[in-house]
Amino acid sequence: MSFLTKKTTLAILTDIHYGASAPLPERRTEIADILLLRAVHRLNRFIWPDVTLVLGDLVEDITVPDVSEHMAHLRAILDKLKSPTIVIPGNHDGDVEAFYHVFKRPKAMEDIGGIRFLPFIDREAPGFNASRSAADIARFRAARSDYDGPIVALQHVSLAPPDRVDIPYNYTNAQAIVAAMMDSGVALSIGGHYHKGAPLLRTEHSTFVNAPALCEAPFPFLVVTLDGEKITVERHQLAMPEELYLVDNHIHTQLAYCAEDVTVERAVVLAQDFGLAGIGFVEHSGQLYFDRARYWGRQAFQEGIAGVRETDNRLPDYLALKRAFANDTLRFGLEVDCDYHGNPLLRAEDRRHVDFLIGAIHGLPSEKVPGVTRETLEGEFFLLLERFLKNGIHILAHPFRIFRKAGWDPPEALFLPVAKLLRKHRVAAEVNFHGNEPPPGFVRLCLELGVKLSFGSDTHNLYEVGELAPHLQLLRDIGFSGNIADVLLSLIHI
């Protein structure tokens, strides 16, 4: 049998259980679609698996009237995956034919990326166990007959040699299945079903992985790597480590013109689910002061605060949200736009009603001028920033993102001058991945100069609330190993 000559990663999502509230409170069925969407976006952007495996129990209750809509909704989310995907049903998913009327049915053998995958849909057995038919067990030998590469078996129910693992579910004929796997040189078996998951089990000939449920905190999934003969498993989770007491300082509300499905009420609940110690809500000051057409038409930047019309002013609506929800761990600030003269788009009398200010440069005077040079925009950016940071800003939003949006790399020549400006005015640098890639060199420089960092998801969609995993990874990537509390600005302490 030959082995892979390149490293291949498999993402494993299982036991999503989307639907109405479950009888077991730890099973978060009502947010399962949000969990799945969050996992899909993380896989697409930060993990890039070669294959994604979805191993059953996608819905909670097949008997509810809207189960067809639930399945279609999950299919639409899974369709966003950039990797090839194999989906199999679990014991909660009902009739197999109806299931594959919604989801793409895999072949009996799927060859992807140098691996032969064997998806099994097995009979249920008493005690939430399963059994495999003799015909399906024979598929191992058939799969090996014309193929000498690695074979991976997929099933919903946990599978392992019964004398080697302490889990409550297995196959009633597990011994026969395992023996057939070993005879055919099946390298890896992957299952779900047991929501706690089980440790990786290696035998002389095969490796057994039983993945945990996405629907239960801390909402885990697995990434399995095959590298030659070596198989490793890495556990990821959608919730943040509670021991870090992380605060997401940049979450938008339903008042944003660019909001998708986010609301304050739902974001508050999700922040707790995702292990945050607090959150900072913000809204674009220009979007509160100007109507959609004038804001997106850049009149807000051109005219500044003098261009505000009272008929368009929605700041009172935002302050009403603050009165309804604010407390010691839920702060309300503003993402203050900078006009083309370096002035904050904020009335002085309104400043005293909010808890903090995130300053943002969303436009430059010459940005839309045909043939404008990069040097011109860099000069305008720095000049505006020098003026802007003098206005009591606590955090600079997504530094240099404006260059990313123009299709240019962040200007490294400005990293040191900008970091020094932030230090001078005691303004934190935001680490923000929303439509943005924070420059690691700039973040490292801020740490070296003692500039505080601020973690912000820049949430516009509920799946983004508290999604700070890439922020933590960035700190690891640049070699930070200290106490994270020493370098982060937490708005709940302002």
Side-chain angles (χ1 to χ4, degrees):
M1 181 177 65
S2 66
F3 295 94
L4 286 172
T5 57
K6 67 180 184 70
K7 185 182 295 185
T8 302
T9 58
L10 318 177
I12 306 169
L13 307 174
T14 187
D15 295 275
I16 297 159
H17 287 275
Y18 178 46
S21 296
L24 301 173
E26 65 272 16
R27 191 177 294 175
R28 298 304 308 282
T29 56
E30 75 281 6
I31 63 168
D33 59 332
I34 296 173
L35 298 175
L36 182 62
L37 184 60
R38 187 178 180 103
V40 165
H41 278 274
R42 194 184 293 185
L43 291 176
N44 282 345
R45 188 170 178 192
F46 300 108
I47 297 177
W48 315 292
D50 296 292
V51 185
T52 300
L53 310 173
V54 185
L55 301 185
D57 280 3
L58 279 77
V59 296
E60 169 65 15
D61 186 354
I62 197 68
T63 67
V64 298
D66 50 357
V67 68
S68 296
E69 289 80 1
H70 289 168
M71 285 194 173
H73 181 43
L74 296 180
R75 169 67 192 262
I77 295 172
L78 291 174
D79 282 348
K80 298 178 185 294
L81 281 164
K82 296 179 180 178
S83 64
T85 306
I86 298 175
V87 183
I88 62 174
N91 56 294
H92 276 252
D93 293 323
D95 178 71
V96 173
E97 295 304 317
F99 182 85
Y100 282 126
H101 183 71
V102 178
F103 298 98
K104 180 183 177 182
R105 185 191 292 266
K107 300 174 184 176
M109 294 184 291
E110 289 272 3
D111 293 343
I112 305 174
I115 297 174
R116 174 159 287 182
F117 294 94
L118 298 184
F120 290 95
I121 304 170
D122 299 298
R123 297 186 300 254
E124 291 187 55
F128 300 104
N129 296 297
S131 66
R132 183 162 295 167
S133 69
D136 272 339
I137 292 176
R139 289 172 56 201
F140 290 123
R141 186 178 296 275
R144 177 54 70 202
S145 64
D146 64 344
Y147 179 76
D148 68 350
I151 297 175
V152 176
L154 310 176
Q155 56 274 317
H156 172 65
V157 173
S158 315
L159 172 65
D163 58 339
R164 295 287 304 276
V165 66
D166 183 23
I167 55 177
Y169 313 116
N170 206 334
Y171 280 70
T172 56
N173 55 344
Q175 292 283 22
I177 298 171
V178 172
M181 286 176 55
M182 292 182 179
D183 287 345
S184 300
V186 175
L188 176 62
S189 167
I190 307 175
H193 190 55
Y194 180 43
H195 284 200
K196 291 182 180 179
L200 178 73
L201 173 63
R202 303 182 196 273
T203 68
E204 183 180 356
H205 300 288
S206 300
T207 298
F208 296 84
V209 172
N210 288 297
L214 188 71
C215 68
E216 295 187 14
F219 315 120
F221 64 93
L222 299 183
V223 175
V224 177
T225 301
L226 289 80
D227 189 3
E229 298 183 47
K230 185 179 180 183
I231 297 174
T232 57
V233 175
E234 184 177 16
R235 181 181 170 117
H236 296 252
Q237 63 183 50
L238 300 182
M240 298 302 103
E242 291 186 1
E243 65 273 14
L244 295 183
Y245 296 97
L246 295 179
V247 177
D248 186 343
N249 293 331
H250 194 151
I251 295 180
H252 284 284
T253 75
Q254 57 265 41
L255 295 178
Y257 294 148
C258 42
E260 296 174 28
D261 64 352
V262 66
T263 66
V264 170
E265 185 173 16
R266 295 202 70 190
V268 168
V269 174
L270 287 171
Q272 296 173 337
D273 289 328
F274 290 135
L276 298 181
I279 50 179
F281 286 105
V282 294
E283 208 44 84
H284 300 276
S285 65
Q287 293 187 17
L288 294 176
Y289 284 138
F290 286 75
D291 65 19
R292 288 176 185 268
R294 297 179 70 226
Y295 181 80
W296 296 123
R298 295 181 174 256
Q299 282 92 332
F301 307 146
Q302 295 163 357
E303 300 174 18
I305 202 67
V308 175
R309 300 186 304 212
E310 283 309 314
T311 53
D312 300 330
N313 186 6
R314 297 183 303 140
L315 189 69
D317 299 331
Y318 181 66
L319 296 179
L321 289 174
K322 179 177 185 289
R323 289 191 298 272
F325 290 96
N327 59 41
D328 290 342
T329 60
L330 304 176
R331 297 300 184 96
F332 281 74
L334 289 171
E335 183 173 1
V336 180
D337 286 291
C338 175
D339 71 17
Y340 285 160
H341 303 284
N343 301 312
L345 197 60
L346 178 63
R347 289 173 169 173
E349 62 268 26
D350 292 332
R351 167 65 182 89
R352 60 189 175 89
H353 294 299
V354 295
D355 299 321
F356 63 96
L357 302 180
I358 297 181
I361 296 180
H362 287 126
L364 298 172
S366 301
E367 184 182 358
K368 301 296 183 181
V369 174
V372 64
T373 65
R374 178 173 177 144
E375 290 73 19
T376 296
L377 293 186
E378 289 178 9
E380 289 182 351
F381 175 82
F382 192 73
L383 180 62
L384 291 184
L385 194 62
E386 278 188 304
R387 297 172 178 171
F388 191 44
L389 293 184
K390 298 175 182 179
N391 293 280
I393 304 296
H394 295 98
I395 299 165
L396 177 62
H398 40 68
F400 307 115
R401 190 179 75 178
I402 195 165
F403 294 96
R404 297 265 194 208
K405 292 204 170 222
W408 290 325
D409 290 332
E412 293 188 21
L414 289 183
F415 286 2
L416 182 58
V418 169
K420 286 183 175 179
L421 265 184
L422 295 176
R423 182 177 63 179
K424 176 181 177 181
H425 295 288
R426 306 182 75 175
V427 176
E430 184 180 63
V431 181
N432 181 325
F433 284 84
H434 184 81
N436 183 50
E437 295 292 332
F442 176 71
V443 176
R444 185 184 298 112
L445 188 58
C446 286
L447 290 176
E448 291 172 358
L449 294 181
V451 175
K452 289 279 190 181
L453 302 179
S454 173
F455 279 3
S457 65
D458 207 343
T459 288
H460 293 74
N461 186 296
L462 288 170
Y463 81 84
E464 298 172 301
V465 172
E467 177 58 305
L468 304 179
H471 305 61
L472 294 171
Q473 185 61 50
L474 175 58
L475 290 189
R476 290 190 288 269
D477 290 344
I478 65 175
F480 177 78
S481 58
N483 185 347
I484 196 168
D486 294 337
V487 300
L488 290 184
L489 173 69
S490 175
L491 292 176
I492 63 175
H493 297 134
I494 287 181

